[in-house]
Structures are given as structure tokens and as C-alpha cells.
Amino acid sequence: MGNKPSFGETNLPCPQPRQFPMLLWLLLLLILGVTPKAFLLLNPPWSTNFHKDKVTLTCSDSLSPAQGDIYWYYNENLLNKKSEEIQIDKTGYYKCKTQRSSLSDPIHVDFSSDKLILQAPHPVFEGDDVVLRCQAREKAKEISLYRNKTLIQSDFTLKSVSRNNDTYHCTALIQGFLWTWRKEISKHLTIQVQELFPPPMLIASPSSPIEGSPVTLKCETWLPPQRSHIQLQFCFFREDKALQKCWSSSPELTLPTVWSEDAESYWCQAESVTPSIRKRSLRSQLYVQRIPVSDVTLEIQPPEGQLIEGENLILICSVAKGTGTVTFSWHREGTVRSLGTKTQRSLSAVLQILTVKESDAGRYYCAADNIHGPILSKLIRVTLRIPVSRPVFTLTSPRMQAMVGDVVELHCESQRGSPPILYRFYHDNVTLGSSSVPSGRAGFKFSLTAEHSGNYSCEADNSLGVQRSDRVILSVTVPVSHPVFTFSPAGPQAVAGDVLELHCEAQKGSPPILYWFYYKNVTLGSREAPFGGGASFNLTLMAEHSGNFSCGADNGLGVQHSEMVILSIIGPPSNKTTLITEGVTAGLLSILGLAATAALVHYFRTQRNSERLSTTRTPSYSPREFKEPSRTSNTNPQEPPDPVEPQPVYNNVNPGDSDLVYSQIWSIQHTKENSANSPRKHWEDKEPTVIYSDLKKVYPDDSTGQASIGDSDLEDAIENYENVPCILSALDR
């Protein structure tokens, strides 16, 4: 038997199980709560042998010797054998059991009397490469291998076998009598392929987790001791979706939190790296416990009493207990619809009400529900502090036009605002006073002075912001004071014909001011000062204007009069002076042509006499300093006066010791009526005619006291007497 010819891979050594520290394997199985199976080893390792061959069976639960009694079974019958090893030579099914293991998988050992057999080794696991042997009792050739009756071109090595029902047999030509060859066929062989590892089981720990808590999933399987060196990897699934990236070398997966919606079916897969054998577990339903919500509370921010209108109100709804998805809702008492809802996995939720209004005040509550029914919080009152609105400012006066001394009342009121409200009153941005009221409006009274004209306003403040009213303009009307009357040029006397400027000014009084000018209580005229200040009135003086002058001021609140001022006018009556001037002027004009030649003849002599006059202390004053006529205007300028004969009036003036005498000639002209009360006209464009005469004087050394005039002297006198018409303006020059 030991020298039987072999075919195929008969020269290869028999595969031997790899040694591995089985204590670790047993410890792993004990931790998993699984009783390991016993396993059988054959020596030689073939499950098919020739008749009368002997095979040794070894029962073990590890690679170390089994401890205690061993139980052997042959075709389900207990054998009366207790040793670890037994020797067999009968065809049948064998299995065993140790005290610390369960029954091994059965193994079929065949002892055949055929001339050709097909042998397979034992044990064979999924994914193993198996070497088959085709054995003959006699010499054989042309050996062929078949799988499922199909010839396969192989060297009798099967790659990565699996647990299927494939059958194998071999054929060969065996040498017979007289060296003849006949074809033999072996029996069909089914390779006894054992599981590399059993299908995994998915175990959840804890088996019924509470919502929000973690759970650990375990994919449990094990390798036989003979293949404990093979590496496994795992993948976990919920329904048909992987929970993590496949693959992982760890058979465990921890889910940090699970919720009620996570209560679905889970399963896992285990796969050997080499060879690639993949198996999946059955689906397991995960049950998640839910704890009902309890102790629902509502919190508001900002806290009670600090919420200001226009700010945001934050409502925080919280629960002390409760798991899973909680639906929060917020409500205001007296309203049907909720203010808002939120569904989330947390013990609190926040609702924000933007830009709260006065109508948002009231009592609020919230509710929480996680499918076991809503639980309500207590009511919380929400009050708002309202900033003041823009105040309305009013000013009350006893009359339409406020006057100095009137008592006016200021009022300030904000239509909205949380009390107390502090009101401040302003005049041109200067504080007049303030008043704090719990409600309603505030008032302020004062008596007007002239300085109280200007802009008035008020402010409202309740510590939530300051609001200022519109401005109100108050114009305080001030009665005019007694005006001050002055004239220019100043002095108690004036010359007739001068233009006198009368000025009237009230130091106080609201514009516009109307000024009246009076002479002996007769109105001379009026002037208006639209913007205040004084006013002036020009008057051409006449001799009759001597007397009392005054003025009055009026701005609609009463007339005030100035003190009277007495003015004296120096000069002749205006009517006589006018007639003399006109007469002299007419006479001079009539003889002007006749005297033209004489004037030219005596021009140079006149120049000589003038030089002599300047050397004999001619007076420094002008004739104007004497009697200048007043300049009055005709009351009826449309009726010119009737011409009459001039009436000359002579005034001879001898200034000191000079030989020069000049005469002032005035011409006075009367109207037809020749009445003293008739209108008079002053020729303002004419000046009085002045005649200069160079006369002989009687000197003190004259013995007779009289001037003796001879022919020659008379001639000189005649030659030296000259009438030279000129006007005052020429004399002035």
C-alpha cells in the first residue's frame, strides 16, 4: 500500500495545518459567547483511500492536546472510545466532541476497492487551493480529470474552492494482463469544503438604546483554528446604505447618538482579505427608546422691564428632560395662531421677534412635544418701554401780537412714551426750565421782555432717547420809547436859507417805526424806519422857522413824543429879502450891456484897488455871515409872480480904516395883490448884488475938518468911484 503508484501531484507534500496560539482564539470565542467546535484531522489527509488502508483521526478543539474525555461518533453512533486519536478502516461519517467544544463537522471517509480512486485532502476551507490525486492500484497512464463530467485541462490543482456541489472524477489507462491497457473511471468525488468563517451576526449594545445616546454595533464571526492567521475586514449598513467607508479591520462600529428615526434595520458584512470570501449577516431591527419631554420653561431676553420698543425680543423655550426630535412652539395669550414653531434635536430652542411694537406686549408661553403630547410652560408677561415721540410744542399768548410784559405759557407734550417724561424748554437753545410729569403735558410760564424774541422749542426725555420739537418763532413787540430829537448842524441858532437836517430816533421799539416831525405842533412831514433805528427830515430854513421843534415815534402801539427843541433863525424876513434881490438883479442885468465898456476900462484899476484892499486889512469874514436870506419855496409853483419895478435897498459897509466901501443891494419884488400874506418866491439861483466903491476919506490932519476937494481931487474922486457888480460867490472866491 505504501508503494502504490500515484498520479497528478503525488510528489507534492501533504498540506499540514499551520500552528497558531489557539488560546487567543478560544479566548475570543469565549468573549463572544460562542462555544467553539471541535475539528478532525486525518493522517494521511485523504478522505478517500483504498480498501485495507488505515487512517488516524485526531479530535481537537485547539492545536494543543484535548483535555478530558473525547466523544467519538460513527454514523451518528457513539463509539466506545475516549482517546484523542483513533484509527479507522471503515467507510462512513465521523465526528467528535471535547468537554470544552461542541460537535465537529462530520467528515466522510471512504475506503474503496476500486482500481482507480480520486483523492482530496482534509480539511479543505473556502478559498483554499486544493491539490487532487488520481490513484490506481496498478500502473496507469493517460490520466484525465473531470468536473461535472467535463474534462478540465488542469494539473489537478483547484484554485480557491468554494462550497458548491461540484463533482470530480478521473480516468486512466491501467495496465492489465499481458501488458494490455484498459480504461478505468474513478468514483465521483464531492470535495468536503468547510466554511472559512460562519456568516456574521450583528449585535447592538445596548440592544434598545435611548434617544440621543450612543450604540455599538458588532459584526461577530470567527475563523477555524486551522485558518486563524487569515485577516478579516468588516462593513456596516443601515438599510442599503453603508454607515462608514468600507472596509474596516475592526468588527465594531460606535454610533455617537441614535434617534427614533434611526430605528431601522442594520446588517454587516465580513470579508477575508486572502482569499476573498465575503459573507453578510441577517438584518437586525434597532429599537430606540424615547423619553417624553418634561419641565418646560420659557425665558425672555432682555429681562422683564428692560425691553425697549423697536428692539428684538428673544424667547427661549427649554425642557429639563426629553429625547429625540422635539417640536417647540411659542404663543401669546389671546391669539389663536402660534408665533412660530421649530423642530430640532435639542433641549431648547430660540424664537426671535424682530422690532417689537407696543402691540406686542402681553403674556407669552411656549410648548414642547416629542410625540407624547405637548407640555406647556408658565405664562410670562412681556412689557415694553416706549421711547418718547417727537413732542408737540405750543406757545400761548394773551393777544395775537405778544408785547413786552405779557405772560406767555409754553406747553410740551409727547403723544407716546413710557413715563416719567422730563420736558425741557429752550429759547434760542438756552434752557428756560424743565418739568417731569408722569403723564400728559408739561407747562412753563414767564413774563415777556424785549429780549424774549427768538426761537422756542422743547425736548422730551424718558431715558430712552431725547426728542426735540419743531421750533416756534416768537416776535415780542416793544412799544417805542420817547424819541430823541436832534438837528444838524447843531446849535441854538441857524441862518435863514440853511438846510437843516432834523433827526428823530427811539432807542427802543419794534420795527417798523413811523417818525413825525413837528414845528410848533404843526406836522412838517414823516419818515419810516422799516428796520428800526432813526429817521431824518431835511428842512430849508426861513426866518419864520424860529420856534419849537419836536418829533414823534409810532410803531402801532402808541405815539411817543420827544422833548421840544427851540431854534432861532437869524436873517431878514424872507419876503423883503426876496424882492430886493430880484430888483437889484433886474437892474444890473439892464445896465450890464452899457457898463461892459467901462468895466473893461477900469479892470486893471480894479485889480490895483483890490491889491490895495488886501494890503489894508480886508475883513476875513464873508458877507454871508451877515444877513443870508431864508430859502423858502413858492407854495404855488405853477403861477409865476407878476413882474414889478425893482426896489433897491442899499447897505453900505465900511470895514475899518480902509478906503474901500462895498454896498449890498437887495431887490424885493411883490405880486399884483401886494399883500403881506401872499406867497413869496425866493430866487435861490441868484445871489445879492455887491457894489464895491473906492472913496476919499477926510483924514484927521485936515484943519477944516472937511475934505477940500479941488478940481484935481474931484477928478481923482470921480475916477476912484466904481460900481462893480458881482455875486457873493465871486466874493467868496
Side-chain angles (χ1 to χ4, degrees):
M1 299 282 298
N3 295 324
K4 295 184 181 70
S6 60
F7 303 95
E9 298 294 334
T10 55
N11 57 338
L12 296 176
C14 296
Q16 298 294 325
R18 183 177 178 180
Q19 299 295 318
F20 189 79
M22 293 302 297
L23 291 177
L24 296 178
W25 177 75
L26 293 174
L27 180 60
L28 176 61
L29 294 178
L30 291 174
I31 292 175
L32 296 176
V34 177
T35 302
K37 287 183 178 182
F39 58 89
L40 291 172
L41 298 177
L42 283 69
N43 188 19
W46 312 111
S47 59
T48 301
N49 299 277
F50 286 110
H51 182 61
K52 295 182 180 182
D53 285 348
K54 299 291 184 182
V55 176
T56 301
L57 296 180
T58 301
C59 183
S60 180
D61 54 13
S62 66
L63 294 180
S64 60
Q67 298 177 1
D69 295 336
I70 305 296
Y71 301 94
W72 291 95
Y73 295 87
Y74 171 67
N75 292 335
E76 300 297 334
N77 296 317
L78 181 61
L79 299 178
N80 189 18
K81 294 181 179 181
K82 302 293 185 180
S83 62
E84 182 181 0
E85 293 182 354
I86 63 173
Q87 196 174 47
I88 62 171
D89 57 3
K90 293 181 179 180
T91 299
Y93 288 92
Y94 294 86
K95 58 184 178 179
C96 69
K97 176 184 179 301
T98 66
Q99 290 182 348
R100 55 188 182 185
S101 67
S102 59
L103 283 171
S104 67
D105 291 330
I107 181 174
H108 185 266
V109 181
D110 187 18
F111 293 92
S112 175
S113 57
D114 295 338
K115 294 180 179 181
L116 184 68
I117 60 173
L118 181 63
Q119 291 181 315
H122 182 82
V124 175
F125 293 95
E126 296 172 297
D128 285 352
D129 293 339
V130 177
V131 178
L132 301 178
R133 291 199 319 177
C134 190
Q135 288 283 83
R137 289 181 183 272
E138 304 295 339
K139 186 178 180 179
K141 66 177 181 179
E142 297 182 8
I143 301 172
S144 300
L145 179 65
Y146 293 82
R147 180 175 60 199
N148 299 328
K149 299 180 181 181
T150 301
L151 177 65
I152 59 176
Q153 302 299 325
S154 171
D155 57 358
F156 286 77
T157 299
L158 303 178
K159 299 292 186 180
S160 187
V161 297
S162 61
R163 299 184 67 190
N164 51 34
N165 295 322
D166 290 344
T167 61
Y168 298 86
H169 72 275
C170 65
T171 62
L173 293 177
I174 298 176
Q175 187 176 20
F177 182 71
L178 298 176
W179 296 280
T180 60
W181 299 88
R182 66 178 185 275
K183 184 178 181 180
E184 293 289 340
I185 301 175
S186 69
K187 290 183 179 179
H188 287 254
L189 171 68
T190 299
I191 301 174
Q192 300 180 58
V193 180
Q194 301 182 58
E195 283 186 322
L196 179 61
F197 56 89
M201 292 187 301
L202 182 66
I203 299 175
S205 179
S207 58
S208 296
I210 297 174
E211 271 190 312
S213 64
V215 65
T216 300
L217 302 178
K218 295 180 181 179
C219 193
E220 292 185 351
T221 187
W222 55 90
L223 291 167
Q226 302 93 320
R227 298 292 186 268
S228 59
H229 63 282
I230 293 178
Q231 182 181 354
L232 296 178
Q233 55 187 10
F234 305 89
C235 188
F236 296 86
F237 298 85
R238 182 175 70 188
E239 297 298 340
D240 295 325
K241 184 178 180 181
L243 294 176
Q244 64 176 9
K245 184 178 179 181
C246 295
W247 297 80
S248 171
S249 60
S250 174
E252 294 185 358
L253 174 66
T254 299
L255 303 178
T257 53
V258 291
W259 309 101
S260 59
E261 53 267 32
D262 296 329
E264 295 181 325
S265 62
Y266 292 78
W267 54 280
C268 68
Q269 280 185 339
E271 181 183 58
S272 60
V273 178
T274 304
S276 179
I277 303 299
R278 181 181 298 178
K279 296 183 180 181
R280 59 177 293 176
S281 70
L282 297 176
R283 292 177 179 263
S284 298
Q285 186 70 30
L286 182 65
Y287 295 96
V288 181
Q289 300 182 59
R290 170 166 288 185
I291 298 176
V293 296
S294 61
D295 299 333
V296 181
T297 57
L298 177 64
E299 177 187 356
I300 63 172
Q301 290 181 358
E304 173 66 21
Q306 299 183 19
L307 179 63
I308 300 174
E309 185 182 38
E311 293 183 341
N312 298 336
L313 173 62
I314 298 176
L315 305 175
I316 304 173
C317 191
S318 305
V319 297
K321 295 180 181 180
T323 60
T325 301
V326 181
T327 298
F328 297 90
S329 60
W330 291 266
H331 308 267
R332 185 171 71 243
E333 189 179 32
T335 59
V336 177
R337 298 182 59 183
S338 66
L339 302 175
T341 60
K342 287 186 178 181
T343 301
Q344 56 192 48
R345 294 192 192 103
S346 65
L347 297 179
S348 64
V350 177
L351 176 69
Q352 186 175 17
I353 300 177
L354 302 176
T355 316
V356 295
K357 304 180 292 295
E358 187 176 8
S359 58
D360 293 324
R363 297 203 298 175
Y364 288 75
Y365 66 94
C366 71
D369 182 14
N370 63 349
I371 309 178
H372 294 280
I375 305 298
L376 306 182
S377 70
K378 293 182 179 180
L379 290 167
I380 291 184
R381 181 173 295 279
V382 174
T383 58
L384 277 70
R385 298 182 64 196
I386 303 173
V388 292
S389 60
R390 191 173 188 182
V392 176
F393 176 77
T394 56
L395 188 150
T396 304
S397 174
R399 67 188 78 204
M400 290 293 294
Q401 181 64 51
M403 293 181 55
V404 172
D406 288 350
V407 176
V408 296
E409 186 171 1
L410 310 180
H411 291 102
C412 191
E413 183 177 11
S414 289
Q415 300 299 322
R416 299 179 71 250
S418 299
I421 301 176
L422 176 64
Y423 293 100
R424 299 184 186 92
F425 297 89
Y426 295 92
H427 171 223
D428 290 337
N429 295 325
V430 177
T431 304
L432 293 174
S434 61
S435 177
S436 180
V437 295
S439 62
R441 65 179 184 173
F444 182 79
K445 294 182 179 181
F446 63 96
S447 181
L448 292 177
T449 64
E451 293 75 17
H452 281 145
S453 292
N455 297 322
Y456 287 80
S457 61
C458 69
E459 274 184 354
D461 182 10
N462 64 347
S463 75
L464 302 178
V466 179
Q467 293 287 341
R468 177 166 284 203
S469 69
D470 292 332
R471 293 184 302 173
V472 174
I473 300 175
L474 175 63
S475 178
V476 180
T477 303
V478 181
V480 293
S481 60
H482 287 283
V484 177
F485 178 74
T486 59
F487 51 84
S488 179
Q493 293 181 345
V495 178
D498 286 349
V499 177
L500 188 67
E501 181 182 3
L502 310 180
H503 186 78
C504 189
E505 183 173 1
Q507 300 300 319
K508 296 182 180 180
S510 300
I513 302 175
L514 182 63
Y515 291 97
W516 298 87
F517 297 88
Y518 302 97
Y519 168 66
K520 294 182 179 180
N521 296 326
V522 177
T523 302
L524 294 175
S526 63
R527 295 289 185 271
E528 185 179 19
F531 305 105
S536 297
F537 181 82
N538 293 332
L539 176 65
T540 302
L541 294 177
M542 296 183 296
E544 290 80 2
H545 282 154
S546 295
N548 298 327
F549 286 83
S550 65
C551 70
D554 183 14
N555 64 348
L557 301 178
V559 180
Q560 295 290 336
H561 293 278
S562 70
E563 295 182 357
M564 290 189 178
V565 177
I566 300 175
L567 181 66
S568 297
I569 307 300
I570 299 175
S574 59
N575 57 350
K576 182 177 180 180
T577 303
T578 304
L579 293 176
I580 293 174
T581 303
E582 292 176 353
V584 173
T585 302
L588 291 177
L589 291 175
S590 62
I591 65 174
L592 181 60
L594 298 176
T597 304
L600 293 175
V601 172
H602 296 287
Y603 173 77
F604 295 102
R605 184 174 297 179
T606 303
Q607 292 293 101
R608 184 193 59 187
N609 293 336
S610 298
E611 293 175 359
R612 187 175 58 181
L613 175 62
S614 62
T615 59
T616 56
R617 299 184 307 276
T618 302
S620 61
Y621 50 82
S622 168
R624 184 186 297 272
E625 296 179 359
F626 287 88
K627 297 179 181 179
E628 184 174 355
S630 62
R631 303 178 183 183
T632 59
S633 59
N634 187 8
T635 58
N636 192 1
Q638 297 180 357
E639 298 180 4
D642 296 331
V644 295
E645 291 297 327
Q647 299 181 10
V649 176
Y650 298 93
N651 291 323
N652 294 326
V653 180
N654 181 13
D657 297 332
S658 174
D659 293 336
L660 180 64
V661 176
Y662 67 86
S663 300
Q664 234 180 358
I665 303 174
W666 300 84
S667 178
I668 301 174
Q669 188 175 19
H670 293 276
T671 60
K672 292 180 180 182
E673 290 81 5
N674 196 20
S675 173
N677 298 326
S678 63
R680 292 167 294 178
K681 179 179 179 182
H682 178 257
W683 299 86
E684 294 184 354
D685 58 341
K686 305 280 185 182
E687 292 290 343
T689 302
V690 180
I691 300 174
Y692 295 87
S693 300
D694 193 355
L695 302 177
K696 290 291 184 177
K697 294 183 63 177
V698 178
Y699 293 95
D701 57 354
D702 194 322
S703 61
T704 62
Q706 298 177 353
S708 59
I709 305 175
D711 294 336
S712 60
D713 295 332
L714 180 60
E715 182 180 357
D716 292 336
I718 295 172
E719 291 177 355
N720 292 328
Y721 186 89
E722 300 178 67
N723 289 327
V724 182
C726 68
I727 59 176
L728 285 178
S729 59
L731 182 60
D732 290 339
R733 288 194 296 271

